[in-house]
Amino acid sequence: MSVNKQKYKKYVEKSAKKSPIVKNCVKAFLVGGLICAIGQALMQLYMYLDISEEVSKALVSVSLIFITALLTGFGIFDNIAKHAGAGTLVPITGFANSVVSPALDNKSEGWIMGLGAKIFIIAGPVILYGTTASVIYGVIYYLCKVLL
Amino acid sequence: MIIKLKSAPTITTSSCVGGKEERRGPLGDKLDFYDESDKFDCDTWEKSESEMQRRAFNHLLSKRKLQISDIDVLIAGDLINQCTSSSYGLLSFDIPYIGIFGACSTAALGLGLCGILCDGGYTKNAAIVTSSHFCSAERQFRFPLEYGSQRPPTAQHTATAAGAFLIEKEGKGAHIDEVMFGITVDAGISDANNMGAAMAPAAVDTLLKYFRESGTGLEDYDLIVTGDLGYEGHRIVTEMMHTLGYDMSGVYNDCGLMLYDRQKQDMHAGASGCGCSAFAMAASVLPDIVSGKYKNVLFLGSGALLSQASVLQGENIPGVVHLVKLSHREG
């Protein structure tokens, strides 16, 4: 059967049920905000415990990563993320989940070729291009400082 | 081309096993076996899927009270690379084995092939087993299971289910009158989250060709059922057929819409996978043909022929739809 591909694609895209963007944005805003508020509360707590500001900042990240890893392991995180979307993806929780979940998943293929090789299958691009971008940014920053 | 099976071989026995969500769905109480953990006592998801096939086939044998040596040929297929769920799952049965790949159309493709083998007199019986498992399919085609992502409303949920069917030259059950293998249709869809849309044109193509060649129309059938087009594909087929002058309402259903309560179980566009149509046919459609509720049924198994590499490389997803005409006979 000859299908007019362009026409069909347009028809499919136009008639397909759309994601509820407004609802998703509100949920992402609320959950993302809540995670940040938890981070801030942890920050206050660590500072209250007489930990220096710099160490407290690192501890907040570590705490959020730990909580995410734990929730991912218990199979809870993906159930929150399917509602929260960018709300859980954008904070450090998204990054932690993207490393822990393939590690769990690929354990069945062994520690080296499974877990070891696949652990960064989702986070890998972020690490690669994030690092590259920061190097480029550093060079530009340096040149600006020297020239200006 | 329609292949007419003169002796109209019979699907005498069918069996199905499923997972937790399938058990919770509307057809849940029809399962011969289910496992709430989806693991089927195995330590990897691939083994779990194989185990589903083994159990489905075991149930088939015990239901029909047959021994392994009574089965002439075993045809099986699934979605996992190189169809390992089938070959490993059925390894313990010493029966000549044919592995087939038709993606989610495997049940229809297998029923057709078994029917041809029996009708031609080459075998006295033939069995087809197929399966899909949500977890092994997610791992192979999408993201890790615990990865937190949002699915669009057009996405389908791979059914955790296996079905087995025994086709015999003679016997009581649903008869296979005709088989029509479909062509592969590239409709220009590359979105793996909308496979219903990728397969719908292939379904329309096969159905129209069948109507033209057989000289029949919608009024000749009690039910036309597609394999796993889901909500999107079902809607597209209905609309495409409507523009061609066919009113599908009341006669057309899709197996992908039969497995779950889409709203309650949060299943987006419905079920997909080889196990989807196998389960729905074994649990609902075939018993209704046997009981006489449906006299003439067209079963159109739909397959989306994609791989992880083809999706990543931006290739379109071709669809293929195979048709099996089933009927009820008195006596």
Side-chain angles (χ1 to χ4, degrees):
Chain A
M1 187 173 79
S2 61
V3 190
N4 184 324
K5 290 181 193 174
Q6 269 80 35
K7 225 172 126 190
Y8 182 67
K9 204 172 172 182
K10 248 186 210 158
Y11 155 73
V12 167
E13 278 165 8
K14 214 177 133 200
S15 62
K17 206 175 159 197
K18 307 282 185 300
S19 296
I21 293 176
V22 175
K23 197 173 124 195
N24 284 349
C25 285
V26 171
K27 284 202 276 189
F29 177 77
L30 291 175
V31 177
L34 181 70
I35 291 170
C36 295
I38 292 169
Q40 188 59 42
L42 287 170
M43 181 80 190
Q44 304 288 37
L45 176 73
Y46 295 137
M47 300 268 281
Y48 175 76
L49 295 173
D50 259 355
I51 300 168
S52 74
E53 195 182 334
E54 206 162 315
V55 176
S56 292
K57 276 181 186 169
L59 273 179
V60 169
S61 298
V62 171
S63 306
L64 288 176
I65 289 171
F66 175 77
I67 295 167
T68 306
L70 206 63
L71 290 175
T72 303
F74 284 134
I76 300 167
F77 189 86
D78 59 324
N79 291 329
I80 303 170
K82 89 176 172 193
H83 295 291
T88 46
L89 181 78
V90 176
I92 202 161
T93 46
F95 190 76
N97 170 253
S98 74
V99 177
V100 177
S101 58
L104 284 169
D105 226 41
N106 293 293
K107 220 171 61 189
S108 54
E109 280 82 50
W111 293 98
I112 308 295
M113 294 312 289
L115 194 154
K118 301 270 179 67
I119 188 164
F120 295 125
I121 201 159
I122 299 169
V126 183
I127 297 169
L128 173 66
Y129 297 117
T131 314
T132 314
S134 66
V135 169
I136 295 169
Y137 174 77
V139 171
I140 295 170
Y141 183 74
Y142 173 78
L143 289 176
C144 288
K145 239 179 151 182
V146 171
L147 297 174
L148 302 174
Chain B
M1 190 192 85
I2 298 174
I3 300 169
K4 288 184 193 294
L5 308 185
K6 289 191 189 76
S7 67
T10 321
I11 307 169
T12 57
T13 325
S14 59
S15 66
C16 49
V17 302
K20 181 184 165 194
E21 293 295 341
E22 293 64 33
R23 170 69 181 169
R24 281 176 63 205
L27 301 175
D29 55 350
K30 307 272 171 54
L31 287 166
D32 292 302
F33 182 86
Y34 69 95
D35 181 4
E36 281 284 339
S37 73
D38 289 349
K39 286 184 176 163
F40 297 86
D41 303 325
C42 295
D43 57 357
T44 73
W45 297 117
E46 289 72 20
K47 282 189 204 166
S48 305
E49 187 176 341
S50 293
E51 179 62 12
M52 285 200 305
Q53 288 213 9
R54 194 186 69 79
R55 290 191 191 197
F57 187 63
N58 255 341
H59 277 284
L60 189 79
L61 289 177
S62 60
K63 271 183 171 176
R64 187 75 180 90
K65 296 188 180 66
L66 287 177
Q67 304 292 320
I68 293 170
S69 56
D70 295 326
I71 309 295
D72 285 347
V73 66
L74 186 51
I75 298 179
D78 60 88
L79 294 175
I80 301 306
N81 293 335
Q82 285 75 43
C83 292
T84 44
S85 302
S86 305
S87 50
Y88 282 66
L90 304 169
L91 197 60
S92 56
F93 303 102
D94 293 333
I95 304 168
Y97 167 83
I98 303 171
I100 56 169
F101 182 79
C104 310
S105 73
T106 305
L109 175 62
L111 284 174
L113 292 173
C114 289
I116 291 168
L117 281 172
C118 292
D119 182 61
Y122 306 109
T123 59
K124 64 178 183 303
N125 62 31
I128 159 78
V129 189
T130 185
S131 68
S132 56
H133 195 301
F134 174 74
C135 298
S136 57
E138 281 295 300
R139 264 167 62 76
Q140 180 173 305
F141 291 104
R142 296 181 196 94
F143 289 119
L145 291 166
E146 298 304 331
Y147 179 63
S149 63
Q150 270 179 331
R151 295 160 83 95
T154 53
Q156 290 170 256
H157 180 97
T158 310
T160 300
F165 307 88
L166 182 68
I167 294 87
E168 296 181 65
K169 206 164 163 56
E170 280 161 7
K172 281 183 83 170
H175 292 268
I176 305 176
D177 297 325
E178 287 164 346
V179 178
M180 187 180 199
F181 297 118
I183 61 161
T184 47
V185 177
D186 173 8
I189 301 295
S190 56
D191 180 8
N193 277 319
N194 195 354
M195 292 200 286
M199 295 185 285
V204 172
D205 178 77
T206 303
L207 189 58
L208 286 179
K209 277 181 184 155
Y210 179 80
F211 280 164
R212 209 173 303 138
E213 200 181 323
S214 66
T216 60
L218 286 174
E219 62 283 359
D220 297 301
Y221 303 98
D222 307 302
L223 175 71
I224 291 170
V225 61
T226 43
D228 65 339
L229 297 184
Y231 178 80
E232 284 299 317
H234 181 273
R235 178 184 61 77
I236 293 168
V237 167
T238 309
E239 287 178 14
M240 283 175 94
M241 291 299 283
H242 184 78
T243 58
L244 296 163
Y246 294 93
D247 179 14
M248 302 283 277
S249 56
V251 70
Y252 174 43
N253 203 350
D254 180 75
C255 296
L257 298 173
M258 295 158 76
L259 261 57
Y260 308 120
D261 183 323
R262 287 192 303 123
Q263 258 67 43
K264 262 194 208 156
Q265 294 180 264
D266 191 23
M267 288 302 180
H268 300 85
S272 67
C274 302
C276 168
S277 60
F279 173 30
M281 289 304 285
S284 171
V285 179
L286 291 176
D288 282 343
I289 297 174
V290 174
S291 74
K293 183 183 169 191
Y294 301 132
K295 304 273 188 237
N296 290 293
V297 172
L298 295 182
F299 170 37
L300 293 107
S302 43
L305 306 171
L306 75 163
S307 76
Q308 199 189 25
S310 75
V311 171
L312 288 176
Q313 290 168 7
E315 296 285 345
N316 291 338
I317 304 170
V320 67
V321 171
H322 303 299
L323 180 147
V324 180
K325 196 218 153 202
L326 303 163
S327 71
H328 168 85
R329 291 189 188 176
E330 299 296 340

